Amino acid sequence: MTETVSPVDLTTLTSLCKRRGFLFQSSEIYGGLASTWDYGPLGVELKNNVKRAWWQHFVWGRDDMIGLDAAILMHPGVWRASGHADHFSDPLVECLQCRMRWREDQLEQPACPNCGGELSEPRHFNQMLTTNLGPVQDDASLTFLRPETAQGIFVNFNNVLTAMRRRPPFGIAQIGKAFRNEITTGNFIFRTREFEMMEIEFFVRPGEDQEWHQEWVRECVDWYSALGLREDRLRLRPHDPDELSHYSKATTDVEYRFPWGWGEIQGIANRTDYDLRAHSQHSGETLAYFDDDTREHVAPYVIEPSAGVDRAVMAFLVDAYGEEEAVSAKGKAEKRVVLRLHPALAPVKVAVLPLSRNERLAPTARRVHDLLRRSRAIDGPVQYDDAQSIGRRYRRQDEIGAPLCVTVDFDTLDDHAVTIRDRDTMAQDRVPIERLVEELRGRLAQ
Ligand code: ATP
């Protein structure tokens, strides 16, 4: 897992993210909180675009899917029924010499990776974070921060079935925060204790589950590819039987080749009828659908594609990062850093750049900026930048992944046309302002 395969290393990526307003360390002025990150102005746009692209594709784009947004806090009984209170744990080992703690299943050899020291016997460490509701801190007020969004879907199964008149096969999608008290964190936003998930619980007839599992694995990989992740940096990894979660009959991970090696970005599990049955038993309410063929109430099987938003963001950033030799306006060789993000994900869609900061150009450039900013057709932020040379401004936009720049120059004042400059090809085309919105929309939709 040490092979470096991406052109970007983590230090370079982290520093770009901070410099350009994608991600900041949480509570930085207090020295930071370990492995906790805040999304900056561009980061929040990118992250929202990832979630929107996912929702558009998997919810709006299909006729067998609907959405839900359940609360983070749930009745503690949910976590006893689901098995998380007893089984959601990692094997924790401690170095007897330097006292550092590790997840035993992630170690390549049975010795401390820090100092080579001997390790303690593993003990099971429950990953759920707890809190107390109300003014009294006792066992009765103890509750959990959800470690997955899935349970909010399972406990609402009957509500959704009744309200939406659905029968399997159909799925419920949800995007939301989850919390896990990870033993080891790190690799930037790859493993944190607070993160966001995009989950689907897809309910199918028992017996049809294996086919649907395969189908969902394909669907998920296709989504990442369609948004630009390189196929040679994606792979599937079926779980060995001894590493399956307590609820799973089969799980396949989608992995991405990060700078430090392969890492999971999504798991697709066959959860069988484990959760619905468990909740039926513990709550006393039968979670099932009426099968018209067998004339019986049946607990459906569940296929669960479960993706991390932050890991997807990170994979898209790593994949988009490129460095190339370019020639400056003064003919000097220089490095061009470019984020080749898919236009649907790009945090800034278009930048309007007057050729220079000049009072004759400014009113027209501002008018063009207003036109684009207010146009729903652009569907995302449009920046205005007139500081420093035009070459520098192109580089800045390349570095944040803006797919298109619109340059207003002195000819614009006469011919009412502007130049569109493409991030990836650096090609420049002249377009009349009256056709600009349409032209940009067409290019961004590609
Ligand atoms: P890992 O083996 O890396 O700990 P997992 O198998 O426990 O992950 P799942 O329970 O399958 O993860 O969670 C589904 C998805 O949620 C993962 O594929 C990942 O994208 C994301 N995820 C899980 N844990 C974290 C975390 N600590 N930080 C960020 N994302 C996470």
Side-chain angles (χ1 to χ4, degrees):
M1 290 289 232
T2 50
E3 191 188 7
T4 303
V5 288
S6 166
V8 63
D9 57 73
L10 270 191
T11 315
T12 309
L13 188 71
T14 314
S15 118
L16 183 149
C17 283
K18 179 170 183 192
R19 202 172 60 247
R20 294 297 182 210
F22 283 90
L23 282 142
F24 306 126
Q25 201 188 357
S26 160
S27 325
E28 195 179 1
I29 60 169
Y30 286 94
L33 179 67
S35 298
T36 315
W37 299 90
D38 297 338
Y39 283 81
L42 295 196
V44 65
E45 298 291 347
L46 170 59
K47 185 178 176 186
N48 284 343
N49 289 343
V50 169
K51 292 190 280 184
R52 191 167 58 157
W54 186 88
W55 195 267
Q56 275 176 344
H57 184 83
F58 290 113
V59 183
W60 298 348
R62 300 176 60 114
D63 67 0
D64 55 3
M65 289 285 303
I66 39 193
L68 186 81
D69 184 18
I72 290 176
L73 299 174
M74 302 183 77
H75 190 288
V78 168
W79 304 109
R80 286 192 284 275
S82 70
H84 284 79
D86 290 332
H87 303 296
F88 195 61
S89 58
D90 279 334
L92 167 76
V93 287
E94 189 171 324
C95 174
L96 300 176
Q97 238 161 282
C98 72
R99 311 314 299 181
M100 278 189 79
R101 291 177 176 153
W102 307 97
R103 236 175 89 173
E104 192 196 30
D105 58 330
Q106 288 180 340
L107 297 179
E108 278 165 13
Q109 47 206 8
C112 174
N114 183 45
C115 72
E118 193 188 335
L119 298 169
S120 68
E121 284 299 308
R123 82 182 156 85
H124 281 274
F125 170 79
N126 194 293
Q127 282 193 59
M128 280 200 294
L129 284 156
T130 56
T131 189
N132 290 84
L133 294 186
V136 185
Q137 300 213 346
D138 59 10
D139 281 355
S141 68
L142 185 78
T143 188
F144 301 96
L145 300 186
R146 67 181 179 197
E148 58 174 22
T149 70
Q151 299 304 326
I153 297 180
F154 294 134
V155 300
N156 275 299
F157 180 75
N158 282 357
N159 286 338
V160 174
L161 213 66
T162 312
M164 307 305 289
R165 304 167 61 83
R166 293 284 173 144
R167 289 286 172 274
F170 80 98
I172 305 178
Q174 175 166 222
I175 299 178
K177 288 265 174 148
F179 303 82
R180 296 183 187 179
N181 201 2
E182 300 274 2
I183 297 168
T184 49
T185 51
N187 286 335
F188 198 22
I189 52 171
F190 181 81
R191 188 179 300 285
T192 51
R193 296 194 172 101
E194 171 182 345
F195 56 97
E196 220 167 341
M197 300 177 95
M198 305 182 281
E199 293 200 293
I200 292 170
E201 306 306 320
F202 197 80
F203 301 98
V204 301
R205 291 197 184 92
E208 295 177 1
D209 50 309
Q210 291 187 10
E211 259 169 64
W212 275 108
H213 188 230
Q214 292 309 313
E215 167 73 17
W216 272 105
V217 170
R218 275 193 298 275
E219 286 283 331
C220 293
V221 175
D222 287 352
W223 183 74
Y224 292 108
S225 303
L227 285 171
L229 288 195
R230 272 166 259 205
E231 287 179 18
D232 62 346
R233 292 195 194 162
L234 281 170
R235 77 171 185 195
L236 295 174
R237 192 184 71 80
H239 281 207
D240 290 334
D242 63 351
E243 62 170 318
L244 289 174
S245 307
H246 62 273
Y247 49 72
S248 173
K249 171 175 163 187
T251 297
T252 298
D253 287 345
V254 181
E255 295 189 334
Y256 179 76
R257 221 168 168 185
F258 286 102
W260 65 89
W262 292 98
E264 173 186 338
I265 51 175
Q266 165 149 30
I268 300 117
N270 182 345
R271 285 181 89 127
T272 69
D273 55 0
Y274 180 93
D275 300 88
L276 292 181
R277 278 194 187 282
H279 287 305
S280 300
Q281 274 161 18
H282 282 74
S283 70
E285 178 163 335
T286 305
L287 301 174
Y289 70 100
F290 186 72
D291 190 305
D292 290 328
D293 294 341
T294 60
R295 313 296 298 164
E296 280 177 342
H297 283 95
V298 180
Y301 269 41
V302 180
I303 307 303
E304 179 192 66
S306 170
V309 178
D310 314 83
R311 288 192 190 176
V313 165
M314 188 156 169
F316 286 124
L317 280 171
V318 168
D319 213 80
Y321 186 93
E323 284 179 9
E324 54 190 45
E325 291 294 319
V327 181
S328 75
K330 291 183 185 144
K332 276 204 298 196
E334 59 179 24
K335 186 172 82 174
R336 178 169 99 108
V337 173
V338 52
L339 278 189
R340 297 182 198 276
L341 288 165
H342 189 286
L345 302 183
V348 169
K349 304 295 179 199
V350 181
V352 176
L353 316 174
L355 189 63
S356 58
R357 189 179 273 176
N358 179 291
E359 59 192 35
R360 283 180 57 218
L361 290 181
T364 308
R366 287 282 177 199
R367 261 200 307 280
V368 171
H369 184 226
D370 286 348
L371 169 78
L372 301 184
R373 216 178 52 229
R374 291 178 189 147
S375 161
R376 286 169 152 251
I378 304 299
D379 203 22
V382 180
Q383 278 196 352
Y384 185 89
D385 189 4
D386 64 359
Q388 299 182 308
S389 75
I390 187 77
R392 284 234 178 146
R393 281 179 278 152
Y394 282 147
R395 296 285 173 273
R396 269 206 294 273
Q397 295 301 330
D398 290 342
E399 214 183 7
I400 63 170
L404 301 166
C405 290
V406 169
T407 312
V408 174
D409 58 23
F410 290 100
D411 289 341
T412 308
L413 306 181
D414 299 324
D415 66 4
H416 307 290
V418 289
T419 302
I420 299 180
R421 184 255 193 193
D422 184 283
R423 175 195 69 196
D424 298 339
T425 62
M426 293 195 279
Q428 305 200 3
D429 299 305
R430 200 94 184 140
V431 173
I433 293 174
E434 61 179 24
R435 278 207 298 109
L436 184 59
V437 169
E438 192 189 323
E439 186 68 32
L440 293 173
R441 177 173 42 189
R443 292 183 184 215
L444 290 169
Q446 276 166 12

